Amino acid sequence: QVQLVESGGGLVQAGGSLRLSCAASVRTFSMNVMGWFRQAPGKEREFVAAIRWSDGSTSYGDSVKGRFTISRDNAKNTVYLQMNSLRPDDTAVYYCAAKRGGLIYGLGPADFHSWGQGTQVTVSS
């Protein structure tokens, strides 16, 4: 059973940056793609970004394109989310997740089978 542990959340002013990390306890055939989601109070869980382990291909949600960058370190079984130009509406709990298939577009929460516990990101105005 894979365990995903997020870190790096915190409080930042608008316009600032944060880098989130997601460390996987193991990498298996069931983890072809890693994703980041976020959920603000009273809102649905929203797709943020995804990356394929094998070739580093990425995809992003429309609200974060050009500001966030997802990357991975194969040797460390770790995925990162670099968040720049943060805005108050980026405030949410950010979750890391893993999926089996290699598709990285049109993804939703139901496509992922393993989730981390989440890390809070708060952006003040």
Side-chain angles (χ1 to χ4, degrees), residues 102-124:
L103 189 66
I104 59 170
Y105 298 103
L107 300 177
D111 295 308
F112 292 78
H113 59 74
S114 295
W115 292 83
Q117 82 288 352
T119 185
Q120 176 71 46
V121 171
T122 303
V123 184
S124 63

Side-chain angles (χ1 to χ4, degrees), residues 47-62:
F47 172 74
V48 174
I51 189 166
R52 189 184 296 132
W53 279 113
S54 60
D55 62 4
S57 295
T58 60
S59 68
Y60 296 92
D62 289 341

Side-chain angles (χ1 to χ4, degrees), residues 7-65:
S7 61
L11 174 64
V12 64
Q13 288 188 331
S17 299
L18 280 175
R19 189 177 81 154
L20 305 183
S21 299
C22 171
S25 57
V26 293
R27 269 183 60 197
T28 72
F29 66 92
S30 67
M31 295 171 56
N32 288 315
V33 170
M34 300 295 292
W36 285 98
F37 286 78
R38 66 186 183 186
Q39 189 165 20
K43 294 189 176 181
E44 293 186 352
R45 195 163 293 193
E46 175 190 16
F47 172 74
V48 174
I51 189 166
R52 189 184 296 132
W53 279 113
S54 60
D55 62 4
S57 295
T58 60
S59 68
Y60 296 92
D62 289 341
S63 61
V64 306
K65 281 180 182 175

